Amino acid sequence: MNKKGILLVNLGSPKSTAVDDVREYLDEFLMDEKVIDYRWIFRAFLVRGIILNTRPAKSAAAYKTVWTDQGSPLIVITEKIQKKLQERYDIPVEIGMRYAQPSIESGIRKLVDQGVSEIVLFPLYPQYAMSTTETVIEKAEEVRKKNFPEVKISYIQPFYNREIYISCLAESIREKLPEHFDALQFSYHGVPERHIYKTDPTKTCNLNDCCSRESNPSHQFCYRHQCYKTTNDVIQKLGLPKEKTIVSFQSRLGKDKWIEPYTDETLETIPKKGVKTLAVVCPAFVSDCLETLEEISVEGKEQFMHAGGENFHYIPCLNDEDRWIDVIQTLCDEKLNEFYLV
């Protein structure tokens, strides 16, 4: 019988806060055509001619504010998840990062070296996007075909609307919500609007009206719809009125039109509308990282307070909570069972 294994894949992180290491990481990340989807020559001009000459020092300073004694928060948390999940399995569990180290290739190699020939690969992204799930699968397939052609990989699909995940996220939020708050803001990572249309093979997406529909052929590929679906399911589970919640999108890059509303602009306007005590959660991420620990809980708080807010509460990601490990195990078991049925 073929031996099974599990590979957990997260975004990645620089190996240190040194400017050169951050530059190396940003080069690999931003030169991915699934992230900045320009032709190579224009992408190289933008990234290597402009961004990498200005951004690495600023990003390195930001990473220093969230770095731990053990290293990058995202890597450390993913390793904790791996350890907890491994305790529940008698098959190997490894990790890989889409960018930097440990790479997807090294993760697959570690599994193969342990005799694994069938891998369940889990992209740790609840919602589907070209710059997350799609690029992970594309990279894994590239590595597999080049170096491990005999290995079979099965991919766990986005789980943004799975009941087990929604219940897990809702309970995690419920435990961390302040007793009194004016609004709960769901801040998701943003993507350019054109990415939404590029990832829609059905060609039925219209950002003006279809995200709120109960069903549309594009929904299984539409990141924006999936973010709203996650939000709506969670607030129903929490029993919150819709008017007490906000959805927004963070981390814009460049001057292109990204999906709206923008998190930074929202944080600067809602205090004038009576939101003085705000809680913010970031459900596009399952592990705390620079975009949550620095961009939201530090910069976002400063923006909100400067605009007239009085109390700001950042709600951490699921990280290595046992209830989240339960979700990962359940989704992995489903895929492992598919292998056994073949």
Side-chain angles (χ1 to χ4, degrees):
M1 182 179 291
N2 294 330
K3 187 173 181 180
K4 279 73 175 172
I6 297 170
L7 182 65
L8 306 173
V9 178
N10 217 328
L11 177 71
S13 176
K15 60 185 177 183
S16 81
T17 59
V19 174
D20 285 346
D21 287 340
V22 174
R23 181 180 290 107
E24 181 181 359
Y25 169 75
L26 289 176
D27 181 63
E28 182 181 1
F29 175 40
L30 298 176
M31 283 301 293
D32 182 354
E33 64 178 354
K34 299 295 183 181
V35 175
I36 297 182
D37 54 328
Y38 298 157
R39 290 171 56 190
W40 186 91
I41 188 68
F42 295 116
R43 187 166 68 250
F45 173 77
L46 175 64
V47 175
R48 294 172 177 170
I50 299 175
I51 295 175
L52 294 185
N53 289 320
T54 58
R55 186 163 175 167
K58 181 180 178 181
S59 294
Y63 273 110
K64 286 178 182 177
T65 68
V66 303
W67 215 255
T68 71
D69 292 341
Q70 293 77 36
S72 160
L74 182 141
I75 302 291
V76 170
I77 291 166
T78 308
E79 289 173 342
K80 289 180 178 179
I81 292 171
Q82 173 201 13
K83 182 178 179 181
K84 284 190 172 183
L85 192 65
Q86 183 65 82
E87 291 172 352
R88 303 183 180 200
Y89 282 106
D90 57 4
I91 61 174
V93 179
E94 298 292 346
I95 64 173
M97 299 292 151
R98 175 58 186 88
Y99 311 104
Q101 298 297 324
S103 66
I104 289 174
E105 180 176 350
S106 70
I108 294 175
R109 190 173 300 281
K110 283 184 178 180
L111 290 172
V112 170
D113 288 346
Q114 295 174 75
V116 170
S117 58
E118 296 180 341
I119 297 172
V120 170
L121 190 150
F122 196 148
L124 292 170
Y125 305 107
Q127 299 84 21
Y128 176 89
M130 184 169 84
S131 54
T132 56
T133 312
E134 186 173 316
T135 189
V136 164
I137 294 174
E138 186 175 277
K139 183 65 175 181
E141 282 301 305
E142 174 189 312
V143 168
R144 184 190 67 80
K145 290 174 183 177
K146 180 180 179 181
N147 300 308
F148 311 100
E150 302 304 315
V151 171
K152 181 178 179 182
I153 302 179
S154 182
Y155 299 92
I156 291 178
Q157 299 303 307
F159 47 94
Y160 67 97
N161 61 347
R162 293 290 301 270
E163 171 64 24
I164 188 172
Y165 165 69
I166 295 298
S167 295
C168 169
L169 180 58
E171 287 308 307
S172 182
I173 293 171
R174 192 193 306 275
E175 290 179 1
K176 301 175 181 72
L177 272 174
E179 185 175 354
H180 302 290
F181 60 96
D182 298 317
L184 170 61
Q185 183 167 348
F186 291 74
S187 179
Y188 294 87
H189 200 290
V191 298
E193 283 191 352
R194 66 178 180 276
H195 281 203
I196 302 295
Y197 293 113
K198 276 191 170 184
T199 55
D200 174 24
T202 72
K203 305 305 178 187
T204 62
C205 179
N206 183 336
L207 285 172
N208 293 323
D209 70 355
C210 76
C211 282
S212 59
R213 293 180 194 166
E214 185 172 335
S215 65
N216 198 70
S218 65
H219 284 175
Q220 63 178 310
F221 308 103
C222 180
Y223 174 73
R224 186 171 182 268
H225 161 76
Q226 294 181 10
C227 292
Y228 276 101
K229 176 64 174 171
T230 297
T231 302
N232 291 336
D233 288 354
V234 168
I235 63 178
Q236 283 187 1
K237 188 74 69 173
L238 291 172
L240 291 176
K242 205 166 186 178
E243 57 270 19
K244 203 171 182 177
T245 61
I246 300 165
V247 176
S248 62
F249 299 90
Q250 64 184 82
S251 311
R252 299 196 310 282
L253 176 67
K255 298 181 179 180
D256 293 327
K257 182 72 176 296
W258 285 45
I259 53 177
E260 297 179 311
Y262 301 142
T263 293
D264 54 356
E265 292 181 359
T266 302
L267 291 170
E268 292 169 357
T269 57
I270 56 177
K272 299 178 180 65
K273 300 176 181 178
V275 176
K276 300 298 182 180
T277 298
L278 177 69
V280 182
V281 65
C282 299
F285 306 92
V286 297
S287 309
D288 274 311
C289 54
L290 185 70
E291 286 81 1
T292 64
L293 298 173
E294 198 272 339
E295 184 179 353
I296 296 300
S297 64
V298 177
E299 287 189 9
K301 179 179 179 179
E302 289 176 358
Q303 289 172 317
F304 177 72
M305 302 297 280
H306 183 72
E310 297 174 0
N311 299 289
F312 183 97
H313 300 269
Y314 170 65
I315 296 175
C317 295
L318 295 171
N319 294 327
D320 65 331
E321 293 179 16
D322 287 341
R323 61 165 70 89
W324 169 227
I325 307 301
D326 291 341
V327 174
I328 296 174
Q329 182 180 10
T330 298
L331 298 178
C332 286
D333 284 347
E334 290 177 356
K335 280 295 177 185
L336 288 168
N337 288 336
E338 288 179 14
F339 272 137
Y340 289 116
L341 291 173
V342 172

